[in-house]
Amino acid sequence: MPISPDEVEHVAQLARLELTDQEKRKFAGQLDAILTYMEKLNELDTSGVEPMLHGVEGRQPARPDSAGPSLPRDEALRNAPESQNGFFRVPPIID
Amino acid sequence: MPFPAPNPDINGTMTEKLQTAVGIRDVFLRGERSALDIAEEHLAAIKRIEPSVDAFLTLCEDGALERAKELDEKRRRGERLGLLAGVPVAVKDNICTRGVRTTCGSKILGNFVPPYDAHVVQRLLAEDAVIIGKTNMDEFAMGSSTENSGFKVTRNPWDPTRIPGGSSGGSAAAVAAGMVPLALGSDTGGSIRQPGAFCGVIGVKPTYGRVSRYGLVAFGSSLDQIGPLARTAEDAALLLDVIAARDERDSTCARHEPEDYVAATRAPNLEGARFGVPEEFYVEGGLSAEVCDALEAARRVFESMGVEFVDVSLPHSRIDVEGGALSSYAVGTYYVLCTAEASSNLARYDGVKYGYRSDDHDSMIDMYSKTRGQGFGEEVKRRIMLGAYALSSGYYEAYFLKAARVRRLIKEDFDRAFEEVDLIFCPATPTPAFKIGEKTDDPLEMYLSDIFTISANLAGIGAASVPCGFSPEGLPIGLQLMAPHWQDGRLLRAAAAYQGQTDWRLKKAKG
């Protein structure tokens, strides 16, 4: 099924990606071609097959829930585009 | 039986004097050369060769010299020195290095200086390696040519009009050009093995979970694995010995101890070994004649060492040629799963905690969207879009779950094959390195250059590409070996045995 410019717009919004009009047109065509290619998987009968979601399956034990050293605040903030009083600073969320 | 003879016309030089990591370490340990001398020599080689290759994004000149002096001091004091003592190593730029810019090949991380070292970097330092620089790559490891780097295009040292492969193209090119004996790469769908094959060096993708991913910038978390690029099997094994260590900071990292990989390369007897040849990989029009010929010659070398070749079947990794174009279930499965994982992993780049932030915005959401729209390159945006689509309501079952089910079928094919054989023997790439710009307009065409490497990531098994000859134009060709889970030592043993019978490793690109 062909992917419409509206759908591209919708997915871009889900992914928080601002695309130019040119990108939207280009991606609509390319995504369509790639998704059509992926539909080749429908040739295969996968009924009763469990999805494989990990690289190697098996037990992945959790580590003990104990406190350990962590990054000092100033180091954690050093890469921030903007920070203030020990916090990350972002644009206003509420008008 | 004559073994493949070196072609004197190729665009390279034969040299017996190529320095291996093991050789560099040993002359340092014996006190014949100082670590400073070794570091200076490599930095001088980089200054000479780098302008024509562009393999590095950041050079750690001061840091490397400083560290080399410390190692000389350490040796003078008679302290114990590590497995990589004094050896210069390059690190792909998606692996975090404390205090050294780590961009992932992306403008969105253009100014990111990690406050911590990746597990593998801690291991390099613990074993006294000298980190010489960070290598170029496709942005977020998404690509097969290193042309998707947000900063520059790396050229293949064997032919500067061609790509080095990708996404670990900078690491492969740096080793091939003789700028470093060892480099770390990462492999999500072939990103170590494919550039290894294109640049004529060994590239190993270990079994998923063998090497900790702590500090590796995440792309497809169920597929990503860090591994070595080197000129000899022994050097690759040495680097794997260093990085394959338990680490509880990566919950997928193996709890059992790794084997001794260097020891595996020193017992290269293959008498009685069984190699499987997947019939589905050899289809009319699927493989270029030069790759086919090189593989055939390599097979004869293995046979002369007592290896028995048997046919195996990997039906769900089958390669089809439809209307002149290659296709495979594995490629479709991979691009659904890796883009889905990428779309969630890359959600963290939002202009808040680190990296680029757009300064032209009128709200929080607008800041996110503009930061990401301006900061990411085209291929990354395309993959985020694909992944978000495959995970979105109404399509999750049809794309994501379908692909995850096919992934299991692909893995089960390997389980069955390995009941019959010790290793799988197949091509690493359909052709030798392609031209710069040749595939940039067609993403699907680019994806298909990984058609032989993707299945190993989906199955979670270890695999390696090993140089096995040159095309008539003088471009390197690689064979690929795949092993059952956790049997990475077999890959290195077979690669060492093959290198003991051939002299491809002695060739060095002019750079």
Side-chain angles (χ1 to χ4, degrees):
Chain A
M1 82 213 108
I3 180 161
S4 68
D6 279 356
E7 261 180 312
V8 170
E9 179 68 51
H10 171 65
V11 176
Q13 209 166 347
L14 287 177
R16 299 277 184 257
L17 274 180
E18 186 174 283
L19 301 180
T20 63
D21 287 340
Q22 195 205 345
E23 282 175 324
K24 281 179 211 163
R25 278 194 304 275
K26 190 171 181 182
F27 285 175
Q30 289 177 336
L31 296 181
D32 203 45
I34 297 167
L35 290 166
T36 304
Y37 181 86
M38 289 167 171
E39 278 161 21
K40 185 178 162 66
L41 299 184
N42 294 329
E43 292 169 12
L44 297 171
D45 179 8
T46 52
S47 50
V49 179
E50 273 297 300
M52 178 175 167
L53 301 173
H54 297 284
V56 169
E57 296 175 303
R59 215 166 64 90
Q60 290 182 7
R63 64 172 169 77
D65 182 18
S66 56
S70 61
L71 219 49
R73 179 186 276 196
D74 61 327
E75 282 189 47
L77 287 170
R78 195 164 295 154
N79 279 288
E82 244 187 298
S83 65
Q84 189 182 326
N85 302 335
F87 293 95
F88 295 106
R89 189 182 152 91
V90 295
I93 295 169
I94 305 162
D95 287 328
Chain B
M1 192 216 66
F3 293 123
N7 176 352
D9 299 329
I10 63 152
N11 179 29
T13 50
M14 280 293 278
T15 170
E16 296 288 340
K17 281 188 268 173
L18 263 187
Q19 299 181 76
T20 62
V22 171
I24 291 169
R25 177 196 63 189
D26 290 349
V27 296
F28 170 59
L29 291 181
R30 286 197 301 266
E32 292 164 21
R33 289 189 73 188
S34 70
L36 184 61
D37 186 32
I38 293 165
E40 281 173 341
E41 183 201 41
H42 282 84
L43 286 165
I46 291 171
K47 291 226 169 91
R48 196 173 63 244
I49 300 166
E50 175 68 358
S52 58
V53 179
D54 270 329
F56 286 91
L57 288 174
T58 303
L59 265 187
C60 308
E61 189 166 359
D62 294 345
L65 295 174
E66 193 61 31
R67 179 151 173 89
K69 284 180 203 159
E70 282 166 24
L71 292 171
D72 284 331
E73 232 1 84
K74 200 170 169 181
R75 203 181 64 79
R76 240 187 310 275
R77 289 195 301 266
E79 287 176 34
R80 181 204 159 269
L81 287 155
L83 290 171
L84 290 173
V87 178
V89 180
V91 175
K92 188 177 181 180
D93 210 26
N94 59 349
I95 296 174
C96 285
T97 40
R98 185 183 164 99
V100 176
R101 192 174 82 121
T102 298
T103 68
C104 227
S106 181
K107 293 212 164 87
I108 212 161
L109 284 175
N111 59 3
F112 178 62
V113 179
Y116 68 99
D117 280 321
H119 177 74
V120 292
V121 170
Q122 291 178 332
R123 294 291 309 134
L124 289 179
L125 298 176
E127 296 295 342
D128 295 324
V130 175
I131 294 175
I132 213 114
K134 305 293 297 287
T135 56
N136 197 21
M137 55 182 288
D138 288 298
E139 184 178 7
F140 286 101
M142 297 179 188
S144 309
S145 69
T146 312
E147 290 165 296
N148 293 338
S149 166
F151 302 102
K152 60 182 176 184
V153 173
T154 298
R155 285 174 292 277
N156 191 311
W158 296 91
D159 177 351
T161 67
R162 292 175 190 269
I163 54 90
S167 65
S168 311
S171 286
V175 174
M179 293 194 271
V180 281
L182 288 177
L184 285 178
S186 68
D187 189 315
T188 304
S191 280
I192 291 174
R193 291 161 287 155
Q194 186 255 32
F198 283 172
C199 290
V201 300
I202 291 192
V204 183
K205 180 204 94 75
T207 301
Y208 180 86
R210 189 60 278 174
V211 178
S212 169
R213 292 177 294 109
Y214 176 77
L216 169 70
V217 178
F219 159 19
S221 300
S222 80
L223 304 154
D224 300 338
Q225 192 65 188
I226 298 171
L229 288 134
R231 282 190 295 266
T232 67
E234 190 182 24
D235 278 2
L238 177 66
L239 185 48
L240 190 55
D241 275 337
V242 168
I243 61 175
R246 289 170 53 160
D247 178 25
E248 69 169 24
R249 294 167 300 185
D250 171 3
S251 68
T252 62
C253 189
R255 293 321 197 248
H256 64 273
E257 290 299 325
E259 58 188 304
D260 181 336
Y261 299 108
V262 167
T265 64
R266 288 183 179 158
N269 181 5
L270 299 182
E271 192 64 48
R274 287 163 66 86
F275 284 11
V277 177
E279 47 188 332
E280 291 87 356
F281 280 13
Y282 292 86
V283 294
E284 186 71 32
L287 203 57
S288 73
E290 60 252 62
V291 174
C292 219
D293 291 349
L295 265 281
E296 194 46 44
R299 176 175 169 154
R300 287 196 302 272
V301 173
F302 279 114
E303 280 171 343
S304 75
M305 288 186 281
V307 173
E308 183 192 349
F309 281 78
V310 296
D311 288 338
V312 293
S313 182
L314 301 172
H316 298 96
S317 299
R318 190 182 82 214
I319 289 164
D320 292 321
V321 182
E322 289 165 0
L326 299 183
S327 80
S328 116
Y329 298 127
V331 173
T333 303
Y334 174 78
Y335 279 95
V336 173
L337 298 177
C338 83
T339 59
E341 294 187 21
S343 77
S344 18
N345 273 327
L346 270 59
R348 73 191 68 178
Y349 304 101
D350 57 6
V352 173
K353 297 180 290 302
Y354 39 71
Y356 170 79
R357 176 190 288 187
S358 168
D359 50 18
D360 147 45
H361 49 75
D362 53 26
S363 70
M364 183 79 171
I365 301 287
D366 192 44
M367 187 279 279
Y368 291 153
S369 302
K370 287 207 165 79
T371 293
R372 292 161 62 77
Q374 294 161 12
F376 289 134
E378 182 176 311
E379 179 63 20
V380 173
K381 285 189 253 190
R382 187 159 40 239
R383 294 207 197 178
I384 290 174
M385 291 287 290
L386 266 174
Y389 184 85
L391 290 174
S392 66
S393 147
Y395 299 107
Y396 177 77
E397 177 80 30
Y399 288 100
F400 183 77
L401 281 183
K402 179 77 187 182
R405 290 191 168 97
V406 177
R407 180 178 187 179
R408 181 173 303 283
L409 297 177
I410 289 168
K411 178 200 167 273
E412 287 173 350
D413 288 345
F414 281 98
D415 292 346
R416 272 189 293 276
F418 285 126
E419 286 172 14
E420 308 292 326
V421 297
D422 302 301
L423 287 173
I424 284 171
F425 172 92
C426 61
T429 59
T431 63
F434 45 90
K435 293 268 189 189
I436 290 171
E438 190 179 325
K439 297 183 198 254
T440 40
D441 291 336
D442 186 347
L444 203 45
E445 176 85 358
M446 186 72 89
Y447 297 172
L448 290 166
S449 71
D450 293 332
I451 200 160
F452 293 113
T453 49
I454 274 171
S455 297
N457 300 79
L458 291 169
I461 58 175
S465 62
V466 183
C468 70
F470 291 86
S471 71
E473 295 166 280
L475 299 170
I477 294 169
L479 62 85
Q480 182 177 206
L481 299 168
M482 300 175 175
H485 286 118
W486 315 116
Q487 299 302 322
D488 305 292
R490 284 187 201 170
L491 302 170
L492 291 154
R493 175 178 287 120
Y498 176 75
Q499 287 193 324
Q501 299 293 323
T502 55
D503 53 13
W504 306 120
R505 75 193 177 286
L506 299 175
K507 291 228 181 99
K508 178 175 157 295
K510 270 196 226 145

